Amino acid sequence: MSDQGLRHRRPHFIKPNDDIPSVSGPLLMEERAFEPGVDENAITSIVYNNPFASLSIQQQRSRLPIFKNRSHILYLLEKYQTVIVVGETGSGKSTQVPQYLVEAGWAADGRMIGITQPRRVAVVTLANRVSDERQCGLGDEVGYTVRFDDVTSSKTKIKYMSDGIMLRELMSDPLLTRYSVIMVDEAHERSMNTDLAIGLLRKIISIRSDLRVIISSATLDAELFRDFFELNETNDPSKDTATIISVEGRAYPVSTFYTKTGAPNYLDATVDLVIKIHKNEQPGDILAFLTGQDEVELACDRLREQSKNLKDCDKLWVVPMYGGLSAREQLKAFDSTAYRTRKVVVATNIAEASVTIPGIAAVIDCGFVKMRVINPKNGIETLMVIPISQSSAEQRAGRAGRIRPGKCYRLYPESEFDKLLPSTIPEMQRSHLAPVILQLKALGIQNVLRFHYLARPPADAMKQGLELLYALGAIGDDGLLTSPLGINMADLPLPPMFSKVLLSSGEFECSEEIAIIIAMTQIQDVFVVPGGGKRHRAEVVKRKFSVAEGDHLTLLNVFQNFIQNGRSKNWCNQHFLNYRGLIRAENIREQLVRYLKQCKIKMVSCSGLIGSTAKIRRCLVNGFFPYAARYDHTGNYVTIREEYPFKVYKGSAIMYRPEYPKWVIFTDVLQNSIRDISEIEPEWLYELAPQFYDFGTEGEIASKKRRTDDLDSTRKANLN
DNA sequence: AACCGAGAA
């Protein structure tokens, strides 16, 4: 496989830009042979395209490619503590390996086989599938646990869970004593939770020699995982504790085409290419990747428009696919295609790994993705459009080769592909670290700098994370979690600044309101922006919900109206509100209230009290003081600490004000815009966060700064 | 005027 360390050139891409005229005429494509991309999402392939549906369960099981490796895997697990299973599309490892383990007696002593997944749907689908195969009720021998949903019992031997749940379980059972084997599935995706789980498992196996770990990974990362888990420090290979096994998959070859020159506008290029394929190519559905909802909808509109004018060819059926769609709308992409009709699914990255659309013959890859990245200058995470990695491009291409040989069209030249990063930067290296540090400390790992990370985060990010936690009062001068604040913060399923707000809401006499506001900020897009002629009406309705003090009180207002109107779906539709999101918000609110009661924080409402909105906004400042900004003569908001300029998100409630507030805090950022903004008084900042903001003469500030510097060095000594 | 990808506790 390619050497990861050697190729780290920055990609040079042209971003879509409406000013640049689009290419006219046919796109020129070059073909190159292509190895099918590795696809770990075997679950959905089994569920949606099961070629053996008519066979008995046992016959089906024995026909899966992995069945050939059954005894080998069991043998390796006797000999090695860690086994890396490299499995291609449809190998069946996620469903079969746990069953092999049970059959071989690994669950005989009352311990469980735990399988972690990065996604809830996968957890539920897999558990259902395997309980069917074992002909037991869900929750008996086979069960699962995800947030808000625990379907296990004392009889459970095979337990599927989200990796986030495993991290939670580690808090009460740090050595995972209830498990004999842990299988970490989809490890190559390198999500934050998976990486963290792997780092912790590495620590556990060095203590618990009876625990076995199975990592399921793609080819590219297999050696990385093996070396990470290898405990043998001698040169004697017979003492190795980690090994790799490859399992054959069921992927078909995909031929890849590149453009001769870069497409100036990938959206136009996508639309042109779909039409061109539709006119000239054999029947077969198309999957096109774009970066966001707006792009997807725009491309769909144009395709529908253009397909009207087509003559002498099949119909074109255009289906959008992105996370913001309701379950029912998403399911449309799974409908089979009518006679003489070609389906084209225009999707965001949701179709790269999370959702597998069956029967795709051709993939169009724009080469970009929208991703959260951290700005090292100000430590603020932002969503940005950036070039994909080579492994991501291969994953996209592989979506065309699931049931027969397929084609992948990349809207960039091969020379650009060569410049892409070999694999996507692990989330651990592009995110805020405060949550990670908090979690590690709660698990008793005090020296977070020395922790054995699968991907070591940048030192600056680590420093920023520690500083934030210190400023929030979650860790003390000794570097330990404070009690009860730090310990409670680690317990909450929220980012640290939100946890701080929630846990202090009792003191500010507004815990009822804050629990709602925080739950509402955890769901995206409460306001639905409808297409076409309804846009203006939606805007008018939204305006009615808006509160002058800002978005947080607006969110509170929306939620309270939703409850007062009987949680009605109809009412939501009439008011252009996201019903699904509001239901989820209520769920989250209930969970947060349970946590608050556990932490012995009083549930009080400030409703009707004098200065009630000030109480709420002060409470928000108590956690979000690092995200304070003032209105600048340039028309931007400038963060107080780093003096970093931001625009106001067009959907913010403060847009409706005749004049922008001078001082605000914000709780979310996208691109270069702040959103979820509330007006504050500047005095609150140095009143509530004196460690962060100074107020006084130059001399007073200087002497205060000296004191904090001293504190800094003692703190650093304690942390290192 | 149009700036929220995908996940998870």
Side-chain angles (χ1 to χ4, degrees):
Chain A
M1 278 329 285
S2 70
D3 187 335
Q4 280 203 61
L6 291 177
R7 305 167 94 177
H8 256 268
R9 279 167 292 173
R10 291 307 305 160
H12 302 286
F13 266 84
I14 305 160
K15 287 196 183 174
N17 183 343
D18 287 337
D19 300 337
I20 303 173
S22 74
V23 261
S24 54
L27 285 158
L28 300 168
M29 294 283 176
E30 292 175 287
E31 185 174 359
R32 188 176 63 88
F34 176 73
E35 289 292 313
V38 175
D39 182 346
E40 297 290 302
N41 207 350
I43 333 117
T44 30
S45 72
I46 290 167
V47 175
Y48 295 113
N49 330 301
N50 184 350
F52 311 120
S54 60
L55 302 176
S56 82
I57 286 168
Q58 284 314 313
Q59 280 171 320
Q60 286 187 44
R61 285 192 62 197
S62 61
R63 284 187 193 213
L64 285 164
I66 197 160
F67 186 71
K68 292 199 280 284
N69 307 87
R70 185 181 189 273
S71 52
H72 193 196
I73 290 174
L74 291 172
Y75 163 77
L76 289 176
L77 220 57
E78 294 288 341
K79 190 164 182 296
Y80 296 90
Q81 202 172 354
T82 309
V83 177
I84 319 298
V85 180
V86 175
E88 314 247 326
T89 310
S91 66
K93 60 184 162 23
S94 311
T95 57
Q96 301 310 302
V97 171
Q99 299 189 62
Y100 300 162
L101 294 172
V102 169
E103 288 155 10
W106 280 95
D109 56 358
R111 287 184 174 174
M112 289 186 286
I113 320 292
I115 308 97
T116 74
Q117 292 290 328
R119 281 172 289 278
R120 293 169 58 102
V121 236
V123 170
V124 179
T125 328
L126 282 166
N128 269 294
R129 171 74 195 173
V130 174
S131 78
D132 276 358
E133 286 189 7
R134 302 204 68 75
Q135 293 169 327
C136 70
L138 199 58
D140 290 344
E141 192 193 36
V142 182
Y144 72 89
T145 307
V146 292
R147 187 181 186 184
F148 303 129
D149 203 4
D150 181 9
V151 189
T152 58
S153 67
S154 55
K155 285 184 275 179
T156 302
K157 291 181 175 169
I158 298 176
K159 173 167 154 178
Y160 287 90
M161 65 194 130
S162 44
D163 35 28
I165 287 285
M166 196 191 94
L167 294 177
R168 292 279 142 187
E169 284 194 8
L170 276 165
M171 292 205 182
S172 53
D173 182 10
L175 291 177
L176 293 171
T177 52
R178 298 165 65 210
Y179 300 90
S180 57
V181 184
I182 294 281
M183 174 167 167
V184 180
D185 212 353
E186 318 277 11
H188 63 282
E189 288 185 13
R190 305 303 303 275
S191 74
M192 182 72 97
N193 282 347
T194 315
D195 267 24
L196 205 48
I198 285 174
L200 291 160
L201 282 169
R202 170 66 177 68
K203 200 175 166 76
I204 296 169
I205 58 161
S206 65
I207 304 166
R208 258 192 73 188
S209 58
D210 62 318
L211 180 72
R212 294 293 183 270
V213 171
I214 299 172
I215 304 290
S216 108
S217 145
T219 328
L220 201 68
D221 300 316
E223 288 173 17
L224 171 79
F225 290 120
R226 185 198 53 200
D227 296 346
F228 184 77
F229 278 101
E230 183 56 66
L231 301 176
N232 177 17
E233 286 172 353
T234 71
N235 285 328
D236 180 1
S238 72
K239 290 185 179 151
D240 280 358
T241 66
T243 190
I244 300 172
I245 177 175
S246 285
V247 175
E248 158 204 337
R250 274 210 190 101
Y252 294 86
V254 175
S255 7
T256 304
F257 302 82
Y258 293 90
T259 55
K260 280 232 167 100
T261 56
N265 179 323
Y266 62 64
L267 205 146
D268 292 345
T270 300
V271 173
D272 292 350
L273 184 56
V274 168
I275 298 294
K276 186 171 162 250
I277 293 172
H278 184 53
K279 278 184 186 157
N280 304 318
E281 295 275 321
Q282 294 298 310
D285 297 341
I286 304 172
L287 170 62
F289 285 96
L290 292 173
T291 72
Q293 176 176 338
D294 272 14
E295 281 177 19
V296 168
E297 289 294 354
L298 190 60
C300 285
D301 286 348
R302 290 203 197 155
L303 281 169
R304 286 189 200 108
E305 194 56 40
Q306 290 199 24
S307 65
K308 277 186 206 154
N309 309 323
L310 290 175
K311 289 189 188 75
D312 307 322
C313 67
D314 290 354
K315 280 188 184 147
L316 192 63
W317 175 37
V318 184
V319 195
M321 167 67 91
Y322 47 86
L325 291 172
S326 70
R328 193 201 295 173
E329 289 167 313
Q330 285 194 11
L331 282 171
K332 278 186 195 161
F334 291 87
D335 289 352
S336 53
T337 314
Y339 179 65
R340 295 205 60 127
T341 301
R342 188 197 300 269
K343 176 165 74 177
V344 50
V345 179
V346 186
T348 62
N349 224 33
I350 194 173
E352 193 181 297
S354 305
V355 170
T356 300
I357 296 149
I360 295 299
V363 160
I364 301 174
D365 171 16
C366 71
F368 286 91
V369 69
K370 215 174 261 182
M371 202 182 261
R372 250 187 204 285
V373 287
I374 193 159
N375 180 337
K377 275 186 242 152
N378 55 20
I380 293 175
E381 280 183 356
T382 323
L383 205 55
M384 302 248 285
V385 175
I386 57 167
I388 58 171
S389 66
Q390 290 178 356
S391 60
S392 179
E394 279 165 19
Q395 171 77 14
R396 287 180 178 188
R399 296 275 137 180
R402 299 182 66 84
I403 51 157
R404 60 177 150 160
K407 287 178 178 172
C408 171
Y409 302 87
R410 292 185 175 147
L411 300 175
Y412 43 96
E414 187 168 5
S415 58
E416 292 299 325
F417 174 84
D418 292 336
K419 289 179 199 159
L420 297 174
L421 294 175
S423 46
T424 310
I425 309 272
E427 225 181 336
M428 181 80 85
Q429 291 176 330
R430 55 180 163 86
S431 310
H432 266 154
L433 287 175
V436 178
I437 297 169
L438 199 56
Q439 211 152 12
L440 287 175
K441 293 214 178 250
L443 291 167
I445 294 154
Q446 296 311 334
N447 194 333
V448 292
L449 299 173
R450 297 262 168 82
F451 182 69
H452 209 51
Y453 294 94
L454 185 56
R456 178 159 290 282
D460 280 354
M462 199 63 115
K463 191 169 149 259
Q464 278 169 357
L466 282 164
E467 277 170 1
L468 175 63
L469 291 174
Y470 181 76
L472 290 171
I475 53 178
D477 291 339
D478 52 6
L480 298 176
L481 286 188
T482 52
S483 180
L485 181 63
I487 291 167
N488 287 340
M489 276 174 68
D491 253 353
L492 284 170
L494 291 171
M497 294 197 279
F498 286 103
S499 300
K500 173 71 185 288
V501 171
L502 186 68
L503 288 167
S504 54
S505 61
E507 299 157 34
F508 289 85
E509 301 176 292
C510 54
S511 38
E512 294 280 0
E513 287 79 8
I514 288 289
I516 293 171
I517 291 169
I518 290 181
M520 290 290 280
T521 59
Q522 303 302 300
I523 53 163
Q524 54 190 50
D525 294 324
V526 181
F527 295 102
V528 178
V529 183
K534 288 182 181 168
R535 250 173 201 210
H536 179 69
R537 253 191 34 225
E539 192 65 23
V540 172
V541 175
K542 184 176 169 187
R543 199 177 186 124
K544 281 187 187 160
F545 282 115
S546 293
V547 177
E549 285 95 329
D551 295 301
H552 300 99
L553 288 155
T554 302
L555 290 173
L556 175 66
N557 191 27
V558 169
F559 185 87
Q560 288 173 335
N561 272 283
F562 171 66
I563 300 298
Q564 278 156 23
N565 285 280
R567 301 171 179 82
S568 153
K569 192 173 182 175
N570 245 334
W571 180 83
C572 286
N573 290 339
Q574 282 161 10
H575 294 82
F576 305 100
L577 296 171
N578 177 355
Y579 171 75
R580 208 165 43 118
L582 281 159
I583 291 290
R584 214 171 85 81
E586 195 183 12
N587 256 325
I588 296 173
R589 187 198 77 94
E590 282 164 7
Q591 194 194 15
L592 297 182
V593 169
R594 277 199 300 277
Y595 272 108
L596 282 179
K597 285 180 181 158
Q598 237 175 58
C599 299
K600 306 255 185 298
I601 287 167
K602 57 175 181 176
M603 293 307 301
V604 278
S605 170
C606 62
S607 162
L609 298 182
I610 296 163
S612 62
T613 84
K615 283 183 199 295
I616 293 170
R617 288 176 294 132
R618 279 170 57 91
C619 185
L620 289 168
V621 168
N622 202 39
F624 280 91
F625 53 84
Y627 287 180
R630 79 187 136 69
Y631 194 60
D632 188 65
H633 63 277
T634 57
N636 290 322
Y637 276 100
V638 179
T639 57
I640 294 166
R641 225 209 171 182
E642 309 287 340
E643 305 210 314
Y644 202 88
F646 284 107
K647 294 185 184 356
V648 178
Y649 179 70
K650 294 284 190 289
S652 170
I654 68 165
M655 296 288 287
Y656 299 123
R657 289 171 52 129
E659 211 169 89
Y660 280 172
K662 180 98 175 95
W663 301 85
V664 296
I665 47 128
F666 53 92
T667 59
D668 196 12
V669 181
L670 63 107
Q671 310 281 32
N672 289 317
S673 309
I674 53 175
R675 65 170 265 178
D676 293 345
I677 302 167
S678 275
E679 180 176 20
I680 60 163
E681 300 298 329
E683 297 81 15
W684 298 348
L685 290 172
Y686 49 77
E687 183 189 326
L688 298 168
Q691 71 282 30
F692 223 76
Y693 295 105
D694 288 311
F695 184 68
T697 64
E698 295 280 325
E700 281 165 357
I701 290 170
S703 85
K704 195 164 184 178
K705 186 150 175 24
R706 267 198 303 282
R707 279 207 308 282
T708 27
D709 285 350
D710 291 348
L711 207 59
D712 259 15
S713 42
T714 19
R715 211 167 78 234
K716 268 172 203 143
N718 281 319
L719 293 170
N720 284 305

